[in-house]
Amino acid sequence: MRSREYGPDLTPPWKRQQPAPEVPAERDLVVEEAATGFCGAVVRCEKTAEGFTVTLEDRFGKHRVFPMVARGFLLEGRVVTLVRPVGPAPAKGPGRTASGSVAVPGARARVARESRIYVEGRHDAELVERVWGDDLRIEGVVVEYLEGVDDLPAIVADFAPGPGRRLGVLVDHLLPGTKEHRIAARVTGDAVLVVGHPYVDVWQAVKPASVGIPAWPDVPRGEVWKEGVCRRLGWPVDTPAAWKRILSRVNSYKDLEPELLGRVEELIDFVTLPDQE
């Protein structure tokens, strides 16, 4: 005979765990992860193969990713269940592009300038588009990729830079004494600006915390760098898939290292100088 008081699970009502209130994981909501005590502001929510996750950023800028499980977080001391926000948060003042610029609602892309920005490869171009794409369309700047810098002198000569036709070039691993530095010195001029970041590859320009790793691993010389990174991080040695994974974690300029941010902004300024009009 089934007890009227206890119900089918025979648990007294006063001992049953009450469902925690559901709280939308809006950006900047500060919560504490119940199991670890990690406290931080919500940065993003994502759908993964294992289910939905939330990324928190603590006051030191450290990111950690947690599964959005029932009763998994504390909000102002009470247990809650984080759920995905139902829609975008209401705008607070002017909107911003991914680069941090003030967004221009309804702005149409400008007709492309003759000036161009060249980057080394497809991954560089996709990262620049991810963060600065809106700005570049408004400014009418096209980004193209070189597939390496060995042929840069010939490419610059073919481009024929001059007044109203400037060329900005972003180079990986641009350090004094390197091959890249010597090539850059050969082509730099009044209408050509070559800048670079110190990283072996543009992957390293994405902050490790944004990718969910403690640091980019060291890969010995002689080993293919991207493949070595995948091995040391325990990822499949599939560089297109790895790059897709990395790029998906980039939502704004906050996910990139300053050494890249400053150089791209410098190039955009260079190819959009007023004297080109």
Side-chain angles (χ1 to χ4, degrees):
M1 180 179 295
R2 182 176 295 173
S3 168
R4 294 180 182 177
E5 179 180 1
Y6 291 103
D9 64 359
L10 302 181
T11 303
W14 59 88
K15 288 189 177 181
R16 293 175 193 161
Q17 190 176 65
Q18 297 300 313
E22 294 186 346
V23 176
E26 302 283 0
R27 189 176 179 89
D28 297 328
L29 176 73
V30 178
V31 295
E32 177 183 339
E33 202 276 327
T36 64
F38 185 91
C39 184
V42 172
V43 175
R44 67 177 70 88
C45 297
E46 293 179 300
K47 184 177 182 180
T48 69
E50 292 76 29
F52 290 108
T53 64
V54 61
T55 301
L56 303 182
E57 179 181 43
D58 70 9
R59 60 193 181 95
F60 302 107
K62 181 179 180 181
H63 286 202
R64 287 191 61 178
V65 181
F66 298 101
M68 294 173 66
V69 297
R71 303 178 62 85
F73 299 87
L74 300 177
L75 175 62
E76 297 179 350
R78 62 192 181 102
V79 177
V80 298
T81 298
L82 290 186
V83 296
R84 296 186 74 195
V86 294
K92 299 179 181 179
R96 297 280 175 175
T97 67
S99 72
S101 302
V102 176
V104 183
R108 299 178 61 183
R110 174 176 173 159
V111 175
R113 300 171 183 262
E114 290 189 62
S115 298
R116 292 286 188 273
I117 291 177
Y118 284 176
V119 297
E120 279 207 52
R122 182 182 297 274
H123 293 179
D124 306 68
E126 289 175 345
L127 188 60
V128 169
E129 165 62 25
R130 182 87 168 191
V131 176
W132 289 274
D134 290 339
D135 306 45
L136 293 169
R137 280 181 282 279
I138 289 176
E139 295 289 352
V141 177
V142 175
V143 175
E144 301 180 11
Y145 60 91
L146 304 169
E147 292 292 0
V149 298
D150 290 347
D151 297 327
L152 184 57
I155 292 170
V156 172
D158 185 63
F159 182 81
R165 188 174 170 81
R166 290 175 176 250
L167 179 62
V169 184
L170 178 69
V171 177
D172 296 342
H173 203 234
L174 189 62
L175 298 172
T178 61
K179 172 191 71 174
E180 291 83 359
H181 193 268
R182 291 190 293 270
I183 293 174
R186 291 173 56 189
V187 301
T188 298
D190 292 340
V192 180
L193 175 64
V194 181
V195 299
H197 55 74
Y199 305 114
V200 174
D201 189 273
V202 77
W203 286 19
Q204 287 183 300
V206 180
K207 291 180 177 178
S210 296
V211 184
I213 60 177
W216 289 106
D218 292 327
V219 178
R221 290 193 176 204
E223 183 176 357
V224 178
W225 188 83
K226 291 176 181 176
E227 294 179 2
V229 166
C230 292
R231 292 187 189 98
R232 285 160 180 79
L233 292 178
W235 298 352
V237 182
D238 181 343
T239 54
W243 172 242
K244 185 177 180 181
R245 176 177 185 167
I246 295 165
L247 188 62
S248 71
R249 299 299 184 94
V250 177
N251 294 305
S252 76
Y253 72 96
K254 295 180 181 180
D255 296 307
L256 302 182
E257 298 288 1
E259 289 83 355
L260 177 66
L261 293 173
R263 302 295 73 76
V264 175
E265 297 286 352
E266 188 177 354
L267 290 178
I268 294 173
D269 289 345
F270 178 75
V271 299
T272 58
L273 289 174
D275 64 1
Q276 298 182 77
E277 302 295 340

